Amino acid sequence: MKRRDFLKKAAIGTAAATASVAAPAVIAAPKRIRWRMATSWPKALDTIYGGAQTVADRVKAMSGGKFEIIPYAGGELVGGLEVFDAVSRGTVQMGHTASYYYIGKNPAFAFDTAVPFGLNFRQQNAWLYNGGGLDAMRKLFADFNIVNFPAGNTGVQMGGWFRKEVNSVADMKGLKMRIPGLGGKVMARLGVTVQVLAGGDIYPALERGVIDATEWVGPYDDEKLGFYKVAKYYYSPGWWEPAPTLSLYVNDKAFNGLPKEYQEMVASAAAEANQQMMVDYDSKNPPAYKRLLEKGVQMRSYSEEILKAAQNEAFSLYAELAAKDPVYKAIYDNWSKYKADSDKWFGTAETDYARFEFGG
Ligand code: CA
């Protein structure tokens, strides 16, 4: 073959190949989509609300602006605790919330977020992504027309603000504490008078002595609510929230109607939010903690006696729930087995390193 013929043939071949690759892209031009996302958060809670924003920002960037998701603060579209129902009914396509708000529908939803004496951030992700946790949760969510994704985490929370020291289980009895969810149920079993107050109502109640103690999140979020001005003892750890996962909910019909590449964008954006929120907390908490100490906050750790008593009550509660509900039992059994092995492993290098390096 003469060189000129070869070049001609090669050129035709290249043109044909280009045409066959380019043609489907023209036919399947990406759709323009605009979705609404209801969240459970005020915008002032920038760390947690940031998870919703990360999902929206990343999807917009990955789709070249064609897939737009608009997040709304709690109360703007639906109440903060109505996100589950709004996504389930398809009132909105998406939601960003915490599944443990919905334990009234099934107590097993708590495992999607956190349970007292449960998993830390890394254990929780290992269980959800690789340990069958997410598959198990998705089966439960499917009954409610929701596809769920882990999309944020606060890490181990703090154990709350107390007006006076508590050293024993006897000190806890009759104490009035604001603590919602399963942590509240365990506290009640220790004799605490549990109160559930919305974020904005906590400070005045603590200031007036209507409550003796409250929990919230950790240094960065707690500092903004000013609890250090009216309760000087700051307890650690928040054993009821060792690493709560915030979740992205997508209505299943809406999700199944998305082009495949947009579904992948949603999954990637959620995974990114799951990491970014932890990064935000891990960079914002240290300076906030330092500021709180400078303001005279007194750090205290829960005593072994209180921790052991609370742990016993927590696992008695899980056993009671498992005896009543086979769906709960299946998830709890999988979770317990995973946790037992994971705890043994995390008790080695991670613990030895943390004790030596952070302990002082
Ligand atoms: Ca909390």
Side-chain angles (χ1 to χ4, degrees), residues 156-167:
V156 188
Q157 295 198 358
M158 285 296 286
W161 298 86
F162 288 73
R163 287 161 60 94
K164 55 177 197 223
E165 286 187 76
V166 286
N167 297 308

Side-chain angles (χ1 to χ4, degrees), residues 100 157 215-217 240-241:
Y100 64 5
Q157 295 198 358
E215 69 87 50
W216 186 240
V217 182
W240 49 93
E241 288 180 296

Side-chain angles (χ1 to χ4, degrees), residues 1 4 22 38 46 89 128 138 180 216 235 281 315 331 350:
M1 192 189 289
R4 186 171 295 171
D46 62 309
R89 292 190 195 118
L128 285 171
R138 281 200 170 144
W216 186 240
Y235 273 75
Y281 272 111
F315 283 88
I331 294 176
E350 288 291 340

Side-chain angles (χ1 to χ4, degrees), residues 41-76:
W41 329 116
K43 286 183 184 163
L45 207 55
D46 62 309
T47 32
I48 294 187
Y49 187 86
Q53 195 63 55
T54 298
V55 171
D57 290 347
R58 295 303 298 143
V59 165
K60 190 175 178 183
M62 284 188 266
S63 65
K66 292 198 169 66
F67 185 5
E68 211 175 339
I69 297 161
I70 317 293
Y72 292 87
E76 282 187 335

Side-chain angles (χ1 to χ4, degrees), residues 78 81-92 102 105 144 146 249 251:
V78 296
L81 303 182
E82 291 161 9
V83 173
F84 185 107
D85 287 340
V87 177
S88 179
R89 292 190 195 118
T91 313
V92 291
Y102 312 106
K105 296 177 192 294
F144 298 88
I146 291 171
Y249 293 173
N251 176 271

Side-chain angles (χ1 to χ4, degrees), residues 119-338:
L119 308 172
N120 72 14
F121 176 60
R122 283 172 47 195
Q123 293 178 301
Q124 171 81 347
N125 283 331
W127 177 65
L128 285 171
Y129 291 126
N130 284 3
L134 191 53
D135 289 342
M137 294 313 307
R138 281 200 170 144
K139 277 190 197 131
L140 190 56
F141 274 101
D143 291 341
F144 298 88
N145 315 314
I146 291 171
V147 184
N148 60 301
F149 298 86
N153 203 300
T154 70
V156 188
Q157 295 198 358
M158 285 296 286
W161 298 86
F162 288 73
R163 287 161 60 94
K164 55 177 197 223
E165 286 187 76
V166 286
N167 297 308
S168 62
V169 175
D171 291 344
M172 303 291 282
K173 289 204 196 314
L175 197 84
K176 295 189 285 290
M177 181 173 188
R178 180 268 176 197
I179 173 169
L182 281 177
K185 287 198 196 321
V186 174
M187 283 289 195
R189 290 164 81 117
L190 294 179
V192 171
T193 304
V194 171
Q195 315 261 328
V196 179
L197 300 171
D201 299 333
I202 306 172
Y203 183 91
L206 193 60
E207 186 182 30
R208 293 200 315 272
V210 175
I211 54 172
D212 306 303
T214 185
E215 69 87 50
W216 186 240
V217 182
Y220 179 74
D221 294 327
D222 293 11
E223 185 188 29
K224 283 194 266 184
L225 294 187
F227 301 137
Y228 62 90
K229 294 175 199 157
V230 286
K232 73 171 173 181
Y233 297 105
Y234 198 16
Y235 273 75
S236 166
W239 43 263
W240 49 93
E241 288 180 296
T245 299
L246 293 314
S247 297
L248 179 73
Y249 293 173
V250 189
N251 176 271
D252 60 0
K253 274 203 195 76
F255 189 73
N256 294 331
L258 283 177
K260 180 82 179 113
E261 62 267 36
Y262 285 9
Q263 292 180 350
E264 294 294 326
M265 287 175 200
V266 169
S268 287
E272 209 170 314
N274 200 33
Q275 172 179 280
Q276 189 59 45
M277 192 189 295
M278 192 70 260
V279 168
D280 288 344
Y281 272 111
D282 282 340
S283 44
K284 288 178 173 183
N285 274 329
Y289 176 58
K290 208 167 153 188
R291 287 193 297 272
L292 288 173
L293 291 179
E294 283 161 8
K295 284 166 181 156
V297 166
Q298 297 287 308
M299 289 301 302
R300 294 290 182 273
S301 297
Y302 278 109
S303 66
E304 281 284 309
E305 184 200 329
I306 292 173
L307 289 173
K308 284 264 186 258
Q311 191 184 42
N312 286 338
E313 290 299 341
F315 283 88
S316 302
L317 174 64
Y318 307 150
E320 287 165 25
L321 291 168
K324 277 190 233 160
D325 184 341
V327 174
Y328 181 96
K329 186 177 185 307
I331 294 176
Y332 177 58
D333 287 349
N334 167 295
W335 179 90
S336 300
K337 194 172 168 300
Y338 197 88

